[in-house]
Amino acid sequence: MFIKHWIVIVFLIAGIYACNKETVTQFIGFQKPSNFPSPEYHFSTNEVTEAGFALGKKLFYDQSLSANNTISCASCHIQTAAFVHPGHSVSHGIYDKLGTRNAPPIMNLAWSKSFMWDGGIFDLDLQPIAPISNHVEMGNSMSNVLTTVKKSTTYPAMFQKAFGTTEITSAQLLKAISQFMVMCISSHSKYDSVMRKEGASFTPTEQAGYVLFQQKCANCHQEPLFTDQSFRSNGLSVNAINDEGHFAISLDSSNRYQFKVPSLRNSSYTAPYMHDGRFFSISEVLDFYNSGVSNTLNLDTTLKKNGRLGIAISPDEKQKLMSFLKTLDDRSFLLDKKLAND
Amino acid sequence: MKRLFLSISVIFLFLASCKKDSPATFNSNVNGPLSVEFDNVVGTTADLKLNNSSYYINANGDSLKVTKLKYYVSNFIFTKVDGSTYTIPQDSSYHLIIEGDSATYDPEFSLPEGEYSKVCFVLGVDSLRNTMDVSKRTGDLDVTDSAVSDMYWSWNSGYIFYKLEGTSPQVPSMGMMGKTFMYHIGLFGGKTSPTINNIKTVTLDLSQRGNAQVKAGKETNIHLMVDVLKMFSGNTTISIAAHPMVVSDAYSATIANNLVGMFRHDHTEN
């Protein structure tokens, strides 16, 4: 008994020591997890530095980027919910105005080819302009934001440190926010540990779920990002505002009602689901694929195979799939102090 | 009387010296200034006035008043009488023309001395620049500039090439929008997924109404008339009642095809 206590105490001290050490270790920039593909983001024009990341984080959490100092990026992208707006089908922005789509997670964006549910934005650096200037989100203009930042007592020194010039430009502002966003990497789920052979292994149920996942879901939710980043119509009934998704961008009729395939990582924390947040549990989502798919325009061919709509999922298979999906949860991402507001 | 005579002779002398200047020899190793004036007009005679007291009438017979007109001109190429061309360096080739802000009417360029008989430019922003790194979006392309921010689609990354807004009794009532019409023409072809490409190139022959004699130390101005009513005619006659609002939709291509016809060379001040 005494020895056990002693061991625990030793470990605790070692742990504390390790934590302390962490705070003084050198800043490590962007690092690709070994089981991930090469990133899409153009690091050649925006290398992540400690000062740039710190500036980006401050901007991300700063409510003064909105027209009336009430909304920050983090208002609808909350770290403890894998950077989504938990419990909100659509988010309320400035003056509690409602948006039309579910806030997607700021997660593994360095691997994203396009942004937004409809893919309207093709460069992460251009992404923040949308919520900042959207009149139901932050309701501001980029010129106001730049003025605010220039007038601030803290920002100019941070820009100087990050970019080496006293001039503050829109490009620097946007690149700093990108530096923060590309560092929001979730790669420490049980699944990753299994794939990287770091010691963890799936339970028999998880393993069975993984096999089912590969048969029934992986066509669109491709590993290891759990999305193939394509746009697809998954048979959701058309919503009240007749959101036509990717069509609004491409103006090609074959893209009507197509939305980007979302990642399944951290799904335990990111409810509600779908582009309009209509489902509040994974169970509902799986039920939808089993029996709720409607034959909408441009319905994906993978959802009308074998003479039926959707994907056949038995109650037993559903439990196994749900058990596997939980292995994609990454609590360390939610609790990572490096990404939290200082 | 003597004084008058003196001043008259001075004026003559001055005029003569001006005349002598034009058939001068050019040194193509030296650059001279050249401005291109974008003079927004209505029809053949009237200068465009924002919120004009009376309505303008377009080819479809619709009445309209203009509250906003803005457009990008870029990628200027000038052709000499010998056929050789000079391309303005890209980084200084993007200009936003804003009706009501006279400082934007005359983009200025520096190009080798010579006699130029053709000007060619893009109405809009080319696809390459539309997809370039944010650090390359400076000057009239900087979205933090308040004049520029309403010429950029944040939700569908890309610049708006041409924007005309106003009011017309022909607009069907649409709730809060009232009798306003809106034409926001953009779309450069897309980067990650293909879209319509509404980028248009305007080529104007100067020889009929005056070539540009570019010479160092002398101002030369190519004066273009930009007839806003031509947006409603040309390839297709546009009905305001049928299309009061065209933003990011397929019909934007029909309007874009009319835009090129808005530009004509009026004269050159050498």
Side-chain angles (χ1 to χ4, degrees), chain B residues 58-209:
Chain B
N58 71 12
N60 196 51
D62 300 336
S63 306
L64 62 130
K65 288 181 184 180
V66 175
T67 54
K68 185 182 268 192
L69 172 65
K70 294 170 92 168
Y71 52 89
Y72 275 106
V73 287
S74 68
N75 292 277
F76 284 79
I77 301 172
F78 296 93
T79 308
K80 282 186 186 172
V81 282
D82 67 5
S84 63
T85 60
Y86 181 77
T87 304
I88 301 299
Q90 253 225 335
D91 284 344
S92 45
S93 198
Y94 296 88
H95 299 277
L96 180 56
I97 311 294
I98 306 168
E99 179 59 32
D101 180 358
S102 60
T104 68
Y105 296 165
D106 306 82
E108 283 183 38
F109 308 99
S110 168
L111 59 167
E113 287 190 357
E115 181 171 351
Y116 291 85
S117 59
K118 201 163 91 176
V119 57
C120 177
F121 58 88
V122 165
L123 176 59
V125 176
D126 54 289
S127 56
L128 189 66
R129 186 67 54 156
N130 253 306
T131 55
M132 263 189 199
D133 192 83
V134 280
S135 60
K136 301 284 183 196
R137 299 158 184 249
T138 54
D140 279 358
L141 296 176
D142 185 346
V143 293
T144 52
D145 185 317
S146 52
V148 176
S149 58
D150 71 341
M151 292 298 279
Y152 180 79
W153 280 324
S154 62
W155 54 275
N156 185 4
S157 305
Y159 290 92
I160 298 168
F161 305 153
Y162 173 92
K163 186 178 256 196
L164 180 79
E165 293 178 3
T167 57
S168 165
Q170 274 73 39
V171 174
S173 282
M174 293 189 295
M176 283 168 65
M177 293 293 294
K179 293 283 182 185
T180 58
F181 62 80
M182 219 181 242
Y183 302 105
H184 298 179
I185 310 302
L187 300 177
F188 64 89
K191 187 185 183 192
T192 42
S193 47
T195 66
I196 294 171
N197 185 333
N198 283 330
I199 298 170
K200 297 293 167 194
T201 302
V202 178
T203 304
L204 296 169
D205 171 38
L206 308 176
S207 64
Q208 299 306 305
R209 305 182 74 97

Side-chain angles (χ1 to χ4, degrees), chain A residues 17-252:
Chain A
Y17 180 68
C19 283
N20 276 339
K21 220 173 67 182
E22 205 177 52
T23 57
V24 292
T25 48
Q26 251 198 325
F27 175 80
I28 299 163
F30 180 84
Q31 277 191 315
K32 182 184 89 65
S34 63
N35 59 324
F36 276 34
S38 297
E40 294 287 333
Y41 187 71
H42 46 88
F43 290 97
S44 61
T45 64
N46 191 23
E47 194 200 337
V48 178
T49 63
E50 186 169 14
F53 170 79
L55 171 59
K57 179 159 100 172
K58 187 172 169 61
L59 289 163
F60 186 84
Y61 284 102
D62 190 348
Q63 295 175 332
S64 73
L65 265 58
S66 67
N68 67 354
N69 305 319
T70 58
I71 309 284
S72 71
C73 305
S75 301
C76 304
H77 299 285
I78 298 168
Q79 187 193 3
T80 49
F83 292 103
V84 304
H85 203 181
H88 291 72
S89 296
V90 296
S91 294
H92 45 91
I94 195 161
Y95 308 121
D96 277 338
K97 288 181 185 174
L98 289 176
T100 57
R101 291 184 187 149
N102 186 248
I106 311 295
M107 170 179 77
N108 300 340
L109 295 186
W111 287 269
S112 273
K113 294 183 175 81
S114 67
F115 305 88
M116 300 296 215
W117 280 103
D118 58 19
I121 297 170
F122 50 72
D123 185 340
L124 186 60
D125 294 352
L126 300 171
Q127 172 63 46
I129 306 169
I132 287 172
S133 51
N134 190 314
H135 63 87
V136 301
E137 295 184 42
M138 295 167 83
N140 212 346
S141 69
M142 286 297 292
S143 63
N144 269 346
V145 169
L146 208 65
T147 307
T148 303
V149 165
K150 281 177 176 169
K151 275 191 199 154
S152 125
T153 52
T154 48
Y155 277 119
M158 293 182 82
F159 272 85
Q160 164 110 43
K161 212 171 156 194
F163 297 105
T165 64
T166 48
E167 190 199 12
I168 296 176
T169 67
S170 50
Q172 290 168 350
L173 181 105
L174 294 166
K175 280 172 185 278
I177 302 176
S178 286
Q179 288 196 29
F180 173 74
M181 292 195 290
V182 295
M183 291 294 279
C184 296
I185 303 168
S186 178
S187 66
H188 294 290
S189 65
K190 182 175 182 181
Y191 160 85
D192 294 300
S193 177
V194 172
M195 291 301 136
R196 291 196 295 256
K197 301 187 169 52
E198 291 167 346
S201 54
F202 289 139
T203 65
T205 314
E206 287 165 355
Q207 180 59 37
Y210 183 36
V211 172
L212 285 166
F213 167 82
Q214 287 174 314
Q215 290 166 358
K216 295 173 187 276
C217 318
N219 186 62
C220 306
H221 297 283
Q222 244 170 44
E223 297 173 64
L225 297 166
F226 291 87
T227 167
D228 66 352
Q229 307 202 37
S230 62
F231 299 91
R232 297 174 191 254
S233 166
N234 67 347
L236 289 170
S237 57
V238 174
N239 68 12
I241 58 162
N242 190 29
D243 189 339
E244 297 184 305
H246 191 45
F247 170 76
I249 304 305
S250 74
L251 302 179
D252 180 336

Side-chain angles (χ1 to χ4, degrees), chain B residues 11-61:
Chain B
I11 288 168
F12 265 94
L13 206 68
F14 180 73
L15 286 176
S17 70
C18 279
K19 271 215 163 133
K20 226 171 58 187
D21 220 31
S22 38
T25 49
F26 298 110
N27 179 356
S28 58
N29 295 319
V30 175
N31 274 22
L34 171 69
S35 56
V36 179
E37 181 170 351
F38 291 84
D39 191 349
N40 298 321
V41 297
V42 181
T44 48
T45 47
D47 190 36
L48 173 67
K49 289 214 165 30
L50 294 181
N51 304 302
N52 195 38
S53 51
S54 58
Y55 284 109
Y56 301 127
I57 311 291
N58 71 12
N60 196 51

